[in-house]
């Protein structure tokens, strides 16, 4: 089952406010392996298959984050196979990039940060048949990754890394929020996701149609943290794609009933979660 097909609501392009546009563009091209999809003076879109997954925007007056705020914990790039995870693992190692890694039972993941401190996960999913569900919750863990096994898949393929492969997607987005209960109400009652895993009042994982998670929420930056200021570098927005216009309209109605504002632009609608994280609603 492809969780990026109808009628699933899924995550898509992530927008970042950046300090050094040229440096960040180079990182996302050379280190992450995205292609430039479109480019203007103050904005670059990068992705795969002619489709943007990351939008870097340099605005006047943007400053480094100086405090703990709500915003991005990481965005997660989903690769089509374990072989591709092995290829990029070798590439990142050769580039001297500091990496974390985990086996989450549902997936195998690498963790790193871009030059401005935005968190990135790069992962591959295990087959959904291998996921363990119990009482509506999916089993996830933070186990050591079998790096040898992952690298061996790449070695057996005899292919060298040549950038992000076709079929790469934005798998999920994980956010810092200021209040888990408020965020839960917004994401479940408003956006229509369901909780699939909770970590003792610290983090929640939510999905549509039984994916392991499209959205992660945590209070690890502190409870009651403020929204990321407009002028601070970091998350600008992330995108949710709805199956059709009807589903998006019904979602907007539920959000407004909760007191959230939804504004309608030509290409997308926009709302903010209770922690100030901006969400573009696309179809």
């Amino acid at each position: 089952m492809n969780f990026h097909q109808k009628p699933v609501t899924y995550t898509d392009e992530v927008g970042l406010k950046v300090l050094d546009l040229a440096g960040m563009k180079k990182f996302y091209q050379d280190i992450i392996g995205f292609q430039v999809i479109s480019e203007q003076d103050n904005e670059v879109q990068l992705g795969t298959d002619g489709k943007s997954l990351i939008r870097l925007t340099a605005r006047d007056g943007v400053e480094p984050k100086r405090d703990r705020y709500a915003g991005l914990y990481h965005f997660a790039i989903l690769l089509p196979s374990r072989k591709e995870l092995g290829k990029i693992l070798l590439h990142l190692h050769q580039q001297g990039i500091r990496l974390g890694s985990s086996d989450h039972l549902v997936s195998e993941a690498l963790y790193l940060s871009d030059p401005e401190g935005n968190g990135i996960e790069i992962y591959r999913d295990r087959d959904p048949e291998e996921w363990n569900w119990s009482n509506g919750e999916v089993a996830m863990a933070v186990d050591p990754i079998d790096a040898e096994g992952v690298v061996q898949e790449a070695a057996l393929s005899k292919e060298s890394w040549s950038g992000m492969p076709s079929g790469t997607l934005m798998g999920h987005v994980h956010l810092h929020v200021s209040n888990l209960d408020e965020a839960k109400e917004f994401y479940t009652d408003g956006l229509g996701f369901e909780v699939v895993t909770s970590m003792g009042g610290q983090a929640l994982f939510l999905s549509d149609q039984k994916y392991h998670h499209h959205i992660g929420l945590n209070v690890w930056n502190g409870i009651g943290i403020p929204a990321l200021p407009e002028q601070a570098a970091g998350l600008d927005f992330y995108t949710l794609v709805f199956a059709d216009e009807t589903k998006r309209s019904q979602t907007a109605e539920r959000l407004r009933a909760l007191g959230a504002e939804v504004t309608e632009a030509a290409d997308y609608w926009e709302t903010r979660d209770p922690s100030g994280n901006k969400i573009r609603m696309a179809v």
Side-chain angles (χ1 to χ4, degrees):
M1 177 179 178
N2 184 338
F3 289 95
H4 277 63
Q5 286 171 346
K6 290 180 178 180
V8 177
T9 302
Y10 61 88
T11 50
D12 205 29
E13 186 185 52
V14 170
L16 300 174
K17 297 175 278 184
V18 305
L19 302 162
D20 172 13
L21 187 60
M24 289 282 271
K25 173 190 162 187
K26 186 171 166 43
F27 173 86
Y28 280 100
Q29 273 185 293
D30 299 355
I31 305 298
I32 301 299
F34 282 142
Q35 299 142 358
V36 172
I37 306 296
S38 83
E39 191 164 7
Q40 295 157 10
D41 285 350
N42 67 336
E43 190 169 273
V44 182
Q45 289 176 278
L46 302 106
T48 54
D49 301 324
K51 194 173 166 312
S52 174
L53 294 175
I54 292 290
R55 182 188 297 245
L56 307 174
T57 308
R59 297 202 189 113
D60 290 341
V62 168
E63 297 174 352
K65 282 198 293 263
R66 306 205 191 285
D67 212 338
R68 289 174 179 240
Y69 296 110
L72 188 69
Y73 179 57
H74 62 240
F75 58 83
I77 301 161
L78 175 58
L79 299 176
S81 65
R82 193 179 199 214
K83 168 190 79 178
E84 292 296 345
L85 189 67
K87 282 158 65 175
I88 200 165
L89 172 55
L90 287 168
H91 158 72
L92 292 169
H93 184 68
Q94 283 155 4
Q95 296 290 323
I97 301 295
R98 281 184 56 185
L99 286 178
S101 62
S102 275
D103 184 327
H104 294 304
L105 305 182
V106 292
S107 62
E108 293 180 299
L110 308 175
Y111 292 94
L112 65 155
S113 293
D114 74 16
E116 297 189 2
N118 298 294
I120 303 169
E121 174 180 340
I122 300 172
Y123 74 113
R124 71 101 188 177
D125 276 337
R126 285 202 171 87
D127 194 308
E129 275 71 69
E130 297 176 55
W131 306 351
N132 287 313
W133 289 86
S134 160
N135 300 324
E137 294 217 342
V138 66
M140 293 204 286
V142 186
D143 292 340
I145 197 170
D146 173 17
E148 264 175 62
V150 171
V151 166
Q152 196 170 0
E153 293 260 347
L156 288 170
S157 76
K158 297 194 166 38
E159 298 168 15
S160 56
W161 185 81
S162 58
M164 279 286 172
S166 178
T168 297
L169 305 165
M170 186 62 71
H172 63 266
V173 173
H174 193 152
L175 304 162
H176 288 296
V177 296
S178 61
N179 181 306
L180 216 48
D181 290 337
E182 282 178 11
K184 179 182 174 183
E185 180 186 48
F186 177 90
Y187 280 93
T188 55
D189 299 353
L191 286 174
F193 289 104
E194 60 175 343
V195 174
V196 287
T197 300
S198 51
M199 289 168 64
Q202 291 289 307
L204 286 174
F205 297 92
L206 306 104
S207 83
D208 191 26
Q209 314 282 338
K210 296 291 184 216
Y211 186 49
H212 59 70
H213 66 297
H214 289 106
I215 302 288
L217 306 169
N218 74 64
V219 287
W220 299 329
N221 250 354
I223 292 166
I225 50 171
L228 184 72
E230 209 56 53
Q231 290 305 95
L235 182 68
D236 187 13
F237 66 87
Y238 75 91
T239 307
L240 287 175
V241 179
F242 293 85
D244 52 45
E245 199 53 74
T246 306
K247 196 167 177 188
R248 179 169 72 167
S249 297
Q250 288 168 344
T251 305
E253 276 175 40
R254 290 198 307 269
L255 290 170
R256 289 181 175 127
L258 286 177
E261 206 174 306
V262 182
T263 55
E264 299 179 16
D267 299 337
Y268 56 86
W269 298 359
E270 197 166 271
T271 189
R272 286 177 189 265
D273 74 14
S275 303
N277 295 307
K278 198 189 296 175
I279 304 159
R280 291 188 173 178
M281 301 166 66
V283 171

